[in-house]
Amino acid sequence: LAAGRSMSTISDALTASAASDTVRLGGAIAARVRQDGHTSIRCVGAKAAFQSIKALANATGYLSHDEGAPDGRHLGIQVLMPQSSKASEAEGQGSHEAPKELRLHIEPVVVPADALTLGTGGHTDLLVGANTVAGKAAAAMAGAMRPQGGGHGKYPVVRAMGSVAAHRALVAGMLAQRYLDNDGRGVRFCILPYWSRELASEKNSKQLVFRLIHIPKKESEK
């Protein structure tokens, strides 16, 4: 994911709803990425965000079949909050509220194949539930992305079951980037959703998982 690239404008964004078809939305995401190298999705509400995430994981699969597609290419998310939303809604002390409207900026990121292997190295996964306070989850994510890593490994895993938990994980990712920006170390990351068969159950042949991936610094920032 290219550091410093200008974000897609709101007028260019795809729109997702709770009823969005994840196959068709995934196809639209893949088409935009092929054409422009990036895209964004506007989603209002937890279910719309969850449909966007599943569509994004599908789009990664579609792009992997393109001729000349690099190995390990996935689509990463940087989460933005529209200006009309108040950060305090997500960051409130002890509040379980989270902003309903989010914009997901999407660009390709290439990661090693072993980055998506679960259960190695004894690392601790980050768990986000439907009642998790976004600010607390954000602090944990920021800690995992700082140089010391907090025991979460090079590519921290975030597990969030269900639409509400997944939405809170996205909000937490947005806040975590703010915390890291305040550090002044130039640490930036994206959220990479993908389908894992390692967490398959009797009900589901695959499970949606998030990875936190560092975005390389530009030469001018090193």
Side-chain angles (χ1 to χ4, degrees):
L1 198 142
R5 174 176 282 183
S6 59
M7 300 293 184
S8 304
T9 63
I10 293 178
S11 61
D12 294 334
L14 298 167
T15 300
S17 72
S20 291
D21 184 314
T22 57
V23 173
R24 294 183 62 182
L25 181 57
I29 293 169
R32 289 284 187 92
V33 170
R34 290 187 187 105
Q35 178 179 320
D36 302 324
H38 61 92
T39 190
S40 62
I41 305 174
R42 176 181 176 271
C43 46
V44 179
K47 290 184 178 179
F50 197 44
Q51 293 300 91
S52 299
I53 295 166
K54 290 189 288 185
L56 183 63
N58 289 338
T60 290
Y62 304 155
L63 291 170
S64 69
H65 295 297
D66 287 354
E67 184 177 355
D71 292 337
R73 182 177 68 177
H74 293 261
L75 294 178
I77 302 170
Q78 289 178 282
V79 187
L80 309 176
M81 186 189 298
Q83 293 297 321
S84 58
S85 298
K86 297 180 180 179
S88 59
E89 293 178 2
E91 232 170 331
Q93 293 297 321
S95 172
H96 290 286
E97 295 298 318
K100 290 182 172 58
E101 182 177 350
L102 296 175
R103 187 157 64 95
L104 312 181
H105 178 75
I106 299 162
E107 288 189 45
V109 56
V110 177
V111 297
D114 62 357
L116 305 185
T117 301
L118 297 174
T120 58
H123 300 135
T124 304
D125 296 347
L126 299 169
L127 305 178
V128 178
N131 294 317
T132 299
V133 176
K136 292 182 179 179
M141 287 186 187
M145 298 311 291
R146 290 186 176 109
Q148 58 269 32
H152 297 288
K154 186 176 181 180
Y155 306 103
V157 175
V158 178
R159 301 194 191 193
M161 297 292 291
S163 60
V164 176
H167 181 260
R168 289 187 181 276
L170 292 178
V171 173
M174 176 189 65
L175 295 175
Q177 185 59 68
R178 290 185 183 179
Y179 299 163
L180 293 169
D181 290 344
N182 290 337
D183 288 347
R185 298 176 180 174
V187 176
R188 298 174 66 242
F189 74 97
C190 67
I191 300 171
L192 191 157
Y194 67 100
W195 295 111
S196 171
R197 297 189 181 279
E198 294 174 85
L199 294 178
S201 64
E202 293 182 1
K203 292 184 178 180
N204 300 301
S205 61
K206 54 189 177 181
Q207 179 64 55
L208 193 64
V209 178
F210 298 133
R211 284 281 185 174
L212 307 184
I213 307 293
H214 282 96
I215 299 173
K217 293 181 179 180
K218 297 183 294 184
E219 287 299 323
S220 58
E221 296 174 334
K222 294 180 179 180

